[in-house]
Amino acid sequence: MSVWDDLVGQERVSEQLAAAARDADALVTAASGDAPPPEASKMTHAWLFTGPPGAGITQTARAFAAALQCVSPDRALGGAPGCGFCDGCHTALVGTHADVSTVAAVGAEILVKDMRDTVRKSFTSPANGRWQVILVEDAERLNEKSANAVLKAVEEPAPRTVWLLCAPSIEDVLPTIRSRCRHLNLRTPSVAAVADMLVRREGVEPDVAAAAARATQGHVDRARRLATDPAARERRAAVLKLPLRLDEIGGCLKAAQELVDAASDDAKALAEETDAKETEELKAALGAAQGGRLPRGTAGVMKDLEDKQKRRRTRTQRDSLDLALTDLTALYRDVLALQLGSRVAIANADVQDVLERIARGSSPESTLRRIEAIAACRDALDRNVAPLLAVEAMTMSLRAG
């Protein structure tokens, strides 16, 4: 199983990256004096991956990182980099490779202090891998100072350093950075391709896989979670019934509170295990005995970790809310399709009765206004408006139509 097998519906991009990985392997081999370098290399020092949500942007970048670090023993027999089973591939894919550094936004932005050590590392030679790989998962969240730090590193990279930047679109990245990157744009996988992946890779029943893929419209991660997590299916079912509970103002406020509480509980559940592990590891690194007091002068370090964890919980809560708003948008999009008699495939066929009830009780104009209200709520959350306030405003607008 190669590292490219997890990239659903991205055959063209996989071919380009596989060719670049072969040339990168040849460059390293040539540098060791074992072979001549390729004449026209498809490899470059900086890559920008963009695409719609759920297309697998980060997964694609990580698969490429794994191919660059591949140490497959059958290389001499013509095996291509990216075998998927060697130590280099495995550790890069699971995020433990010493020469693959990952940077992701903890809060709303990637701060310069979060980038400083990574930028410094980018100028060093690989410790035991073939390349020094820097993977920035949320390049669109780089603020001015952190973006300038990345720009300086991308302008004059070390000979065996590769930058992999991931962002929703090319416009989300500074022109000075994107002009120095090779751009690859991913596409939304087809519903059939996602369903096939769920059956083959996750062992999901075909009917469940098809329903999850159709409901998420090709969003790979969401489809996987929906197909394998009963709690995720229950949360989605509750969100899709929300429009039926907005007859009164009290119902609007209660529904908004429940949405925010569910997102908060989801964030708390995801953070508890990670936060506890991080805290214990840092205490051990600072020299604290098991259950004992921290050494003097380390309180500031612990405070920094607590601040980081708090920012991450806030972002996780807002990501969970955004997921619910995405489901609501898809619901009203299906309602609009019914109202206009469109032949577009219905994503939420499992709640056909809810769709028809809403469609009969409103007009296409009111449905469009409701979709705009959901978009306005997402914009408000991006501007750090208090979640409950933003969601309450949205539910009141949904009631008004």
Side-chain angles (χ1 to χ4, degrees), residues 226-353:
L226 200 60
T228 59
D229 184 0
R233 293 196 289 272
E234 290 177 7
R235 284 194 294 271
R236 174 177 171 270
V239 169
L240 296 184
K241 292 178 181 178
L242 181 143
L244 303 180
R245 303 168 50 199
L246 306 180
D247 293 336
E248 299 178 354
I249 293 177
C252 294
L253 300 180
K254 184 179 179 180
Q257 185 69 64
E258 290 177 359
L259 264 184
V260 174
D261 288 346
S264 181
D265 292 342
D266 199 24
K268 183 179 179 181
L270 291 172
E272 279 180 349
E273 183 177 349
T274 303
D275 289 356
K277 182 179 178 181
E278 282 182 345
T279 301
E280 290 304 317
E281 287 178 350
L282 182 57
K283 285 182 177 179
L286 293 174
Q290 185 71 27
R293 297 179 61 181
L294 287 167
R296 287 190 176 186
T298 60
V301 179
M302 293 302 300
K303 181 65 167 56
D304 288 343
L305 177 62
E306 291 170 3
D307 290 342
K308 174 183 175 182
Q309 291 172 344
K310 183 178 180 181
R311 297 200 311 270
R312 184 169 59 203
R313 283 194 295 271
T314 298
R315 185 190 171 192
T316 303
Q317 179 188 9
R318 299 198 175 189
D319 286 347
S320 182
L321 262 180
D322 190 69
L323 181 60
L325 298 180
T326 300
D327 287 335
L328 266 182
T329 303
L331 177 79
Y332 282 112
R333 169 260 193 196
D334 287 344
V335 169
L336 186 62
L338 291 178
Q339 290 172 330
L340 298 177
S342 171
R343 297 182 180 180
V344 174
I346 298 297
N348 298 287
D350 53 327
V351 289
Q352 184 79 23
D353 56 333

Side-chain angles (χ1 to χ4, degrees), residues 180-201:
R180 290 164 174 80
C181 299
R182 183 167 299 169
H183 178 220
L184 290 179
N185 187 50
L186 281 67
R187 63 180 183 177
T188 299
S190 68
V191 170
V194 175
D196 179 65
M197 180 276 296
L198 292 174
V199 173
R200 288 186 298 104
R201 303 300 303 277

Side-chain angles (χ1 to χ4, degrees), residues 60-288:
T60 301
R62 191 167 291 283
F64 186 39
L68 294 177
Q69 304 292 13
C70 182
V71 291
S72 173
D74 66 354
R75 188 77 51 74
L77 302 177
C83 65
F85 61 82
C86 72
D87 185 65
C89 285
H90 176 70
T91 53
L93 289 173
V94 300
T96 59
H97 197 291
D99 293 316
V100 179
S101 302
T102 303
V103 180
V106 175
E109 296 180 331
I110 298 179
L111 306 178
V112 67
K113 66 179 182 179
D114 298 329
M115 287 297 308
R116 193 171 290 124
D117 290 340
T118 303
V119 169
R120 189 180 299 116
K121 185 178 180 181
S122 74
F123 291 106
T124 64
S125 298
N128 49 30
R130 301 173 70 80
W131 293 86
Q132 187 75 260
V133 181
I134 311 297
L135 171 57
V136 183
E137 292 187 357
D138 309 286
E140 77 280 6
R141 294 179 184 261
L142 290 165
N143 63 20
E144 183 179 356
K145 291 182 178 179
S146 56
N148 286 335
V150 171
L151 175 60
K152 292 177 182 178
V154 172
E155 282 180 327
E156 300 177 0
R160 297 215 347 233
T161 293
V162 182
W163 283 83
L164 309 179
L165 308 179
C166 303
S169 71
I170 193 170
E171 289 78 15
D172 290 314
V173 181
L174 282 178
T176 48
I177 292 180
R178 70 191 190 218
S179 65
R180 290 164 174 80
C181 299
R182 183 167 299 169
H183 178 220
L184 290 179
N185 187 50
L186 281 67
R187 63 180 183 177
T188 299
S190 68
V191 170
V194 175
D196 179 65
M197 180 276 296
L198 292 174
V199 173
R200 288 186 298 104
R201 303 300 303 277
E202 306 295 335
V204 178
E205 292 296 323
D207 55 339
V208 176
R214 183 173 61 249
T216 56
Q217 291 295 286
H219 193 300
V220 178
D221 289 339
R222 289 183 56 211
R224 182 184 286 112
R225 187 176 182 186
L226 200 60
T228 59
D229 184 0
R233 293 196 289 272
E234 290 177 7
R235 284 194 294 271
R236 174 177 171 270
V239 169
L240 296 184
K241 292 178 181 178
L242 181 143
L244 303 180
R245 303 168 50 199
L246 306 180
D247 293 336
E248 299 178 354
I249 293 177
C252 294
L253 300 180
K254 184 179 179 180
Q257 185 69 64
E258 290 177 359
L259 264 184
V260 174
D261 288 346
S264 181
D265 292 342
D266 199 24
K268 183 179 179 181
L270 291 172
E272 279 180 349
E273 183 177 349
T274 303
D275 289 356
K277 182 179 178 181
E278 282 182 345
T279 301
E280 290 304 317
E281 287 178 350
L282 182 57
K283 285 182 177 179
L286 293 174

Side-chain angles (χ1 to χ4, degrees), residues 351-397:
V351 289
Q352 184 79 23
D353 56 333
V354 174
L355 299 176
E356 293 176 351
R357 180 175 170 182
I358 298 174
R360 288 194 302 268
S362 62
S363 65
E365 292 79 12
S366 64
T367 302
L368 284 173
R369 286 193 293 271
R370 285 166 172 153
I371 292 174
E372 290 171 355
I374 299 171
C377 181
R378 298 177 74 173
D379 289 341
L381 292 173
D382 284 341
R383 298 194 305 272
N384 290 324
V385 172
L388 183 57
L389 184 62
V391 177
E392 284 179 345
M394 179 196 72
T395 55
M396 294 295 288
S397 296

Side-chain angles (χ1 to χ4, degrees), residues 22-24 26-27 30 35-43:
R22 288 193 294 270
D23 284 352
L27 287 170
E39 293 183 2
S41 176
K42 296 180 176 63
M43 183 59 186

